[in-house]
């Protein structure tokens, strides 16, 4: 399902840029989202514990064309942190040396640059979609289990985000919605630890104000 959502919302981002000239007016907006996240990390990790509360702030402009609104947005998302254990691994040479288990803490956040669309149903209800570039910043700290962290790593990479939602506009300026968003962020630790980070599935509630 998340792959279908990704393709749909990324298509929204491309369509909005080309269709803006056909619209008849629009509004600036700012919205904030709080929610919880589920992260799918590398199979090399075990015992993962998450700080599940996340927050997102977005701002942009939407053009109106009948029941359809579409526009561009930018924002920033904080995806919380995960704590886990990197499983023991062999270095793959002879004689084999097994690397000890390592404690791991991952914190992820990043900038958003994309497009969005909203289909109005009747006077107040709507469904929405969004997607674009996720410029993720992943901070990783590792060390021996039950000991202070001995090393840290930071990686900034381009990924993507996509989402769908539904909600209710109370008036021309204010609305509430429920959303599902997917963020793709990766970081390579090197030294045989493979890639971690993975995909973040976020379920949240959004409040939006339009000028």
């Amino acid at each position: 399902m998340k792959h279908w959502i990704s393709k749909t919302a990324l298509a929204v981002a491309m369509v909005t840029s080309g269709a803006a000239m056909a619209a008849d007016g629009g509004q600036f907006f700012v919205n904030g989202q709080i929610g919880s996240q589920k992260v799918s990390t590398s199979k090399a990790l075990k015992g993962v514990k998450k700080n599940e509360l996340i927050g997102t702030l977005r701002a942009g402009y939407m053009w109106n064309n009948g029941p359809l609104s579409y526009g561009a947005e930018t924002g920033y998302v904080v995806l919380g942190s995960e704590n886990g254990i990197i499983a023991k691994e062999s270095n793959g040479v002879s004689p084999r040396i097994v690397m000890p288990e390592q404690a791991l803490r991952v914190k992820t956040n990043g900038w958003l640059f994309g497009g969005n669309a909203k289909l109005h149903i009747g006077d107040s209800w709507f469904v929405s979609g969004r997607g674009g570039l996720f410029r993720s910043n992943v901070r990783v700290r590792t060390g021996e289990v039950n000991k202070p962290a001995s090393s840290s790593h930071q990686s900034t990479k381009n990924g993507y985000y996509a989402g769908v939602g539904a909600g209710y506009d109370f008036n021309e300026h204010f609305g509430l919605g429920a959303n599902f968003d997917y963020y793709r962020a990766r970081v390579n630790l090197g030294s045989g630890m493979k890639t971690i980070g993975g995909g973040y599935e976020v379920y949240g509630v959004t409040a939006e104000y339009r000028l």
Side-chain angles (χ1 to χ4, degrees), residues 116-194:
N116 54 42
K118 180 186 293 185
L119 178 63
H120 302 272
I121 303 172
D123 295 331
S124 301
W125 294 98
F126 65 85
V127 293
S128 63
R130 68 199 62 83
L133 173 70
F134 175 38
R135 181 69 171 171
S136 64
N137 187 300
V138 182
R139 296 180 177 89
V140 181
R141 301 186 68 184
T142 59
E144 293 185 32
V145 178
N146 298 322
K147 291 185 178 181
S150 60
S151 65
S152 62
H153 181 86
Q154 182 170 319
S155 177
T156 301
K157 292 182 178 293
N158 291 330
Y160 66 88
Y161 75 97
V164 294
Y168 187 89
D169 285 330
F170 293 91
N171 52 49
E172 181 183 358
H173 300 288
F174 181 73
L176 291 175
N179 306 283
F180 169 79
D181 296 290
Y182 181 77
Y183 299 88
R184 188 66 179 178
R186 290 194 174 193
V187 56
N188 196 322
L189 293 179
S191 303
M193 293 183 184
K194 301 180 182 179

Side-chain angles (χ1 to χ4, degrees), residues 3-162:
H3 298 294
W4 177 84
I5 292 173
S6 301
K7 293 178 181 178
T8 301
L10 288 172
V12 167
M14 292 184 289
V15 170
T16 55
S17 61
M21 295 302 293
D24 51 356
Q27 294 175 292
F28 288 99
F29 70 87
V30 60
N31 62 50
Q33 176 182 352
I34 57 172
S36 62
Q37 54 100 330
K38 175 183 178 182
V39 60
S40 54
T41 54
S42 166
K43 294 181 180 179
L45 301 183
K46 64 179 183 178
V48 175
K49 296 181 180 180
K50 299 177 288 293
N51 176 4
E52 294 188 342
L53 184 64
I54 66 97
T56 308
L57 182 65
R58 297 186 180 94
Y61 190 87
M62 297 194 79
W63 293 270
N64 300 314
N65 190 1
L68 180 66
S69 299
Y70 41 80
E73 66 180 21
T74 185
Y76 194 80
V77 59
V78 177
L79 289 169
S81 63
E82 306 90 56
N83 299 285
I85 303 295
I86 301 175
K88 294 180 179 179
E89 293 188 23
S90 169
N91 63 358
V93 300
S94 181
R96 298 178 63 188
I97 299 176
V98 178
M99 303 296 292
E101 289 186 336
Q102 297 282 302
L104 177 75
R105 180 177 177 84
V106 182
K107 298 182 69 174
T108 304
N109 50 46
W111 291 97
L112 310 173
F113 306 92
N116 54 42
K118 180 186 293 185
L119 178 63
H120 302 272
I121 303 172
D123 295 331
S124 301
W125 294 98
F126 65 85
V127 293
S128 63
R130 68 199 62 83
L133 173 70
F134 175 38
R135 181 69 171 171
S136 64
N137 187 300
V138 182
R139 296 180 177 89
V140 181
R141 301 186 68 184
T142 59
E144 293 185 32
V145 178
N146 298 322
K147 291 185 178 181
S150 60
S151 65
S152 62
H153 181 86
Q154 182 170 319
S155 177
T156 301
K157 292 182 178 293
N158 291 330
Y160 66 88
Y161 75 97

